[in-house]
Each structure stands twice: as C-alpha cells, then as structure tokens.
Amino acid sequence: MSTERNKRVAILGVPLNFGGSMAGVELGPAALRLARLQQRIRGLGYEVLDLGDLRIEHPNYVAAADDRAKYLREISAVCEEVAAEVRSILRAGQFPIILGGDHSIAAGSVAGVASFFHEQDKPLGLIWLDAHADMNTPETTPTGNVHGMPLAALFGYGARELTHVAGYAPKIDPRYCAHVGARDVDPGERELIRRLGVRFFTMREIDERGMSACMDEALRIVSQAPAGYHVTLDVDVLDPNDAPGSGTVVRGGLTYREAHLAMEKIAEAGGMQALEVVEINTVLDVNNKTAELGVELILSALGKTIL
C-alpha cells in the first residue's frame, strides 16, 4: 500500500453473528473499540476515521438444522454492503480496517478490495490466518455455517450468492494466497485445497520450520500479486491460552509472540491493502483479553515495533 494511504485509516465494524452458531461475535467491534483501538492507532501517527458499524438486519426466522448454508441470503446482502463500503474507503485513499463479526464477512471485505483493484486489472493477494481452512461449500459443510465457507467462495467455489459478491468470480487466484495456522481441516476442504494447490502453512509446519521462515515464504507468495494483499485474521488462529474469546477454539495455536512476529513481518514487507480481525466472542472472553490482543496485533501490522 502507498505511504499516503498508510497514514489514513478508516475503521469499519461489521457485527454479523449468524454465519456461525454462537452469539457473542456481534460485539467484537465494540470490544476492540473498548480496548482503545482508535486512540492507539492515532498514537502511531495515523489519521483515523471510525465509520462505526454497519447496520445488520437480523433474520426473523430460525434456519433449519439441515440447511446446507444457513442464512445465506442475509449474509450475502451484508457482504455486498461490506464490499461497497470497503471500495469507498479505498477510493477515498484510506486504509480499511474491518472489525468482525464472524468470518463470513470476509466474502464481502476481500471482495471490496479485490474489486477495487480488479477495475485496474490488478489481481489481489491474500493472507488468511485461521485455525480452520474456511474452504467448505454447501456440498461439503458438516454444519451449514457460512463462516466456514468464505475462502472457498473467494476462489469461486460454493453458493453463487457468496462467490459473486461484487458481481464477479473468482476474487483471488490460489497462486497468490497463503493460509497460515491451520490445525482443523474438514475432509471436503482438504480435497479442494489439494485440487487448487493453495499454500497452507499448518501448525505442524510452523512448529518444524518456525514462524519467521513460514511468514517469509507466505509474504513472497502474496507479494507476487500486482495489487498487494489483504490480511484477514481469525482470532482462533491464536492459542486459546492467549485468546480465550473465540467460539471455535482449537488447542495448539499461534503463541502471543508468533502472532506478533507475523504481524510485524507483514508491516516490514509492505504491500498490505486492508486488514481484518474477526471472531472475537465477548461472551467467552476473559476481561477483554482477546480484544486487547486483537488491538495489539493490529498495531503491530501497522508498524508498531519494540524499539
């Protein structure tokens, strides 16, 4: 991203909670603001505009247990709105920071960044930090929860309501995507990952090679994209001891320092065009610990260093 956009940040909250099965993530944006997100970004020398939260229209019905993509129509409508807002932020020369909500919103946020650069014929890269692959489709999902589908949708797989947010598909070429931190992958996702050749840095590889080497390679992959890259971070990528406030915790995640190292390397590399933090569940959090860490990681991605 350009230095000018780097210094002008726009914060957008997307308090959507019906892509998953547990209440609490809709308060994630508020929890991050409570941790003084805006003031602390300003402390790094940025001009900050908080656009507030999108108004989310909640479904007035309960999805059937066997629905293969629960609340798809409503989630698609939110994602279209998110994509439009993110495009507007970029057109204003600002850097978007998107606060979730559950991870289904990424089908909209990434679409917004990708479509902005699509108009300039520049493909976008993507770093996806997550314990889960998020590459299910309505055919492979074990739950029907759409927050497990956005990455597949960005590659053009799954329900058209998700794949064609912003009017076209796919948004991301798998060659320009790096997934970091996976440790819980469904069988159908595994098959699609292999078919597309998406580069996954699993926790096993991170354990063996170290976070620094894995992030260096991930950044080489996404930096090949002419437009730069979007970064989306699901807090369940972190170890539950450091980030208890997630409804989808999986033991053995990134440590506090590994997560900061990843964000610091992203800041040093340059090229980040948007940043997103999702899935902070305030009901499960302890003294806003996860939101505090979320803010710290955003600051590291924006260039905060120890010295």
Side-chain angles (χ1 to χ4, degrees):
M1 64 185 165
S2 69
T3 304
E4 287 304 309
R5 183 175 292 139
N6 243 338
K7 291 300 174 186
R8 299 180 61 212
V9 165
I11 298 169
L12 177 67
V14 189
L16 186 146
N17 74 342
F18 40 90
S21 57
M22 191 176 294
V25 291
E26 71 276 13
L27 297 175
L32 288 160
R33 291 185 177 101
L34 184 65
R36 300 178 59 251
L37 174 65
Q38 188 171 336
Q39 299 92 318
R40 291 161 79 177
I41 293 175
R42 278 208 187 96
L44 295 179
Y46 289 83
E47 175 187 322
V48 183
L49 174 66
D50 191 340
L51 300 173
D53 290 350
L54 285 186
R55 185 172 178 176
I56 305 294
E57 198 69 39
H58 285 260
N60 58 3
Y61 65 97
V62 177
D66 61 353
D67 192 335
R68 306 300 298 171
K70 297 180 174 75
Y71 309 112
L72 176 61
R73 180 172 53 83
E74 292 85 355
I75 291 169
S76 174
V78 172
C79 286
E80 291 285 4
E81 192 175 353
V82 173
E85 289 287 339
V86 169
R87 270 196 309 274
S88 294
I89 291 168
L90 290 166
R91 284 172 181 155
Q94 299 161 326
F95 177 80
I97 296 179
I98 303 102
L99 314 177
D102 69 59
H103 218 164
S104 62
I105 70 169
S109 57
V110 179
V113 183
S115 61
F116 174 79
F117 288 104
H118 184 69
E119 294 169 357
Q120 305 168 38
D121 201 25
K122 291 181 179 179
L124 179 72
L126 177 62
I127 293 181
W128 194 282
L129 295 121
D130 204 319
H132 305 91
D134 288 356
M135 283 187 64
N136 271 304
T137 66
E139 291 70 42
T140 65
T141 176
T143 64
N145 292 334
V146 173
H147 74 167
M149 303 180 188
L151 185 51
L154 292 166
F155 293 137
Y157 291 81
R160 186 179 176 84
E161 292 91 336
L162 281 186
T163 61
H164 281 70
V165 171
Y168 74 102
K171 310 299 186 311
I172 300 292
D173 186 323
R175 294 177 301 165
Y176 300 142
C177 179
H179 188 296
V180 179
R183 54 194 187 278
D184 185 7
V185 181
D186 295 323
E189 294 179 304
R190 197 171 289 118
E191 183 182 332
L192 185 57
I193 290 163
R194 288 172 178 157
R195 194 189 329 159
L196 297 180
V198 186
R199 185 65 170 95
F200 267 62
F201 296 87
T202 65
M203 286 308 304
R204 163 72 185 268
E205 184 172 353
I206 292 168
D207 288 342
E208 289 185 336
R209 295 179 60 201
M211 193 64 185
S212 182
C214 289
M215 281 306 299
D216 285 344
E217 186 180 339
L219 285 161
R220 281 196 298 272
I221 290 166
V222 301
S223 296
Q224 293 176 57
Y229 53 90
H230 178 110
V231 176
T232 183
L233 184 147
D234 184 326
V235 296
D236 71 19
V237 76
L238 303 160
D239 193 85
N241 290 322
D242 292 312
S246 168
T248 51
V249 293
V250 185
R251 288 190 300 174
L254 299 183
T255 66
Y256 178 92
R257 271 310 319 158
E258 284 172 332
H260 271 290
L261 179 60
M263 296 297 110
E264 288 161 4
K265 281 188 166 287
I266 286 167
E268 288 172 4
M272 179 174 61
Q273 298 291 2
L275 174 62
E276 177 173 60
V277 176
V278 300
E279 297 280 3
I280 292 174
N281 192 307
T282 57
V283 173
L284 301 171
D285 207 2
V286 178
N287 298 323
N288 218 33
K289 180 178 181 179
T290 308
E292 287 281 351
L293 179 51
V295 170
E296 288 180 21
L297 293 175
I298 289 170
L299 297 177
S300 286
L302 293 176
K304 184 179 181 183
T305 56
I306 295 169
L307 292 177

